[in-house]
Amino acid sequence: MPSPARGGAPEDQEAVTVGVEGGRGTWRHAAFHVATTIATPAAYAPLPFAVASLGWPLGVCSLVTGTLVTWCSSLVVASLWQWNGEKHTSYRQLAKSIFGPWGYWYVSLFQQVASVGNNIAIQIAAGSSLKAVYRNYYTSDKGAMTLQQFILLFGAFELLLSQLPDIHSLRWVNATCTASTIGFAGTTIGVTIYNGYRIDRKEVDYSLHGSTATKIFRAFNALGTIAFSFGDAMLPEIQSTVREPVRANMYKGVSAAYTIIVMSYWTLAFSGYWAFGSEVQPYILSSLTAPRWAIVMANLFAVIQITGCFQIYCRPTFAYFEGRVQVKNKGCKSWLWRLIYTSTYMAVITLISAAMPFFGDFVSICGAVGFTPLDFVLPALALLKTRKLPDNPGLQCAVKVLSSAVAILFSIIGALACIGAIRSIALDVKTYRLFHDM
């Protein structure tokens, strides 16, 4: 294989492929990308169940803490984009410049886990939503389509979108997805409250059920779910598409996206738990019963939004292959190589999603193993390493203590959430067969 461009290492060539058309997006485009990446129906939908697994006090505290920590972490990562005078167009390259080679491979590992796990989870969610829409209009059991068929259809559509070259080329797709995010949140919150008032409130139970061990493992699982809901392992890649002044535009974009996230996440999480209590389903739409037209609308919004989110999380994997086969040249080989590796990626993701459609389990393990190291732990360590601290000695000390506490606390939370998620998958594998039509 020829050596990478400009004599760099393979990972250097790989980084160039992510932000192909960088520097053209506005802060609004950044907000579209960030909101699409984080605020997916797969992130919204399990939050009421996560709060129910923790109970009101711990559930509210965990959700609010997750929001504040990840918002601050996103601003930290955005501030470090050009911290040593060089532009870093990928999270991997940023980590390498701060921590050295181990930082590059640390991010490479966890970013791939986060990207692949996220796309498995949201493809299951998309298939579930498509099937829910289908069942509203096709009630006969004979000849009915299965969940696996809808997952396959969604995978085929994503393969088509995967031929778009980079994140910037998805800007209008993600603008539509951001609108769908708001539509999904508004519709689902409204229908949830409507269903809540239709239920006899005296029958709604908010207590934690099961043995002590079950409660503990469900709580661990819930922490992974909350970590997943704020997952954003692609911030430098998104920032590489933003025009000057890059930092200011990215700060505005992140804050605008988090405004949408706070208003929607908190409202849906708390209204969903209020409406259904301990009986709320891992995918909130499964708990809704009426009105039918609104449930159909919410599911359609979910599918549209997931379409864009899936594409953004494909990009680190695609960039890896682009860097290795050097497909940046114009011509037949370029599109042919792209078709080969995107088809292989989609086939693997679709097969796993169809074989093990355990939505809640994949959400939790992806949050624990993929997003917790990248969104909670690494930004705190990067802040300490780069010494981007206030000049005031008192504030400097406070930031150091807080950053150290965040890194240690969320490392522990990630480990506990991983244990809970693995246990849940083990139980589900015993209960359901492969390719189960859930």
Side-chain angles (χ1 to χ4, degrees), residues 150-433:
F150 286 110
I151 288 174
L152 182 61
L153 287 173
F154 182 79
F157 182 68
E158 288 297 335
L159 177 59
L160 181 64
L161 285 182
S162 295
Q163 306 317 305
L164 292 173
D166 52 47
I167 291 176
H168 188 65
S169 65
L170 295 166
R171 60 194 181 280
W172 296 115
V173 173
N174 289 340
T176 304
C177 292
T178 301
S180 296
T181 295
I182 298 170
F184 174 81
T187 305
T188 307
I189 290 166
V191 177
T192 297
I193 294 172
Y194 174 76
N195 278 256
Y197 278 113
R198 294 177 73 237
I199 299 171
D200 184 355
R201 304 307 305 164
K202 295 179 180 178
E203 296 181 0
V204 179
D205 180 19
Y206 296 102
S207 61
L208 302 177
H209 297 160
S211 64
T212 301
T214 299
K215 293 176 184 176
I216 291 173
F217 281 113
R218 284 187 66 188
F220 292 168
N221 217 20
L223 294 175
T225 299
I226 292 174
F228 175 90
S229 69
F230 293 102
D232 181 14
M234 296 286 295
L235 205 69
E237 285 84 347
I238 292 171
Q239 193 163 357
S240 69
T241 70
V242 178
R243 67 176 62 155
E244 294 289 349
V246 176
R247 285 196 185 92
N249 281 329
M250 199 62 189
Y251 293 157
K252 288 172 67 176
V254 167
S255 297
Y258 265 83
T259 301
I260 297 172
I261 290 166
V262 168
M263 293 171 61
S264 52
Y265 271 34
W266 292 7
T267 307
L268 181 58
F270 302 147
S271 64
Y273 184 34
W274 165 81
F276 303 107
S278 302
E279 300 302 316
V280 67
Q281 296 297 309
Y283 194 57
I284 184 65
L285 296 182
S286 300
S287 296
L288 306 179
T289 56
R292 277 179 54 187
W293 65 269
I295 297 173
V296 168
M297 185 182 297
N299 278 289
L300 289 175
F301 278 136
V303 174
I304 294 170
Q305 203 286 335
I306 288 170
T307 298
C309 180
F310 191 102
Q311 279 305 305
I312 288 184
Y313 277 104
C314 289
R315 300 298 156 162
T317 307
F318 293 170
Y320 174 86
F321 286 110
E322 287 174 5
R324 292 305 183 269
V325 301
Q326 298 199 357
V327 295
K328 302 317 298 176
N329 57 299
K330 306 287 184 181
C332 177
K333 282 189 176 181
S334 177
W335 69 261
L336 183 59
W337 272 113
R338 187 175 190 87
L339 183 62
I340 291 171
Y341 66 71
T342 54
S343 298
T344 303
Y345 178 89
M346 287 307 311
V348 172
I349 297 295
T350 302
L351 179 63
I352 297 173
S353 302
M356 301 178 65
F358 310 140
F359 170 73
D361 299 344
F362 276 111
V363 163
S364 183
I365 199 165
C366 179
V369 180
F371 290 120
T372 300
L374 295 177
D375 296 324
F376 294 89
V377 179
L378 194 66
L381 295 177
L383 186 60
L384 294 172
K385 179 74 172 179
T386 57
R387 300 186 181 278
K388 285 272 199 174
L389 303 171
D391 294 329
N392 183 286
L395 286 176
Q396 191 175 105
C397 181
V399 170
K400 285 183 178 180
V401 171
L402 189 60
S403 298
S404 300
V406 166
I408 294 170
L409 175 63
F410 283 96
S411 295
I412 296 170
I413 288 175
L416 296 177
C418 185
I419 293 170
I422 291 173
R423 177 180 181 271
S424 184
I425 289 177
L427 293 175
D428 280 342
V429 168
K430 291 179 181 178
T431 305
Y432 301 103
R433 65 183 186 278

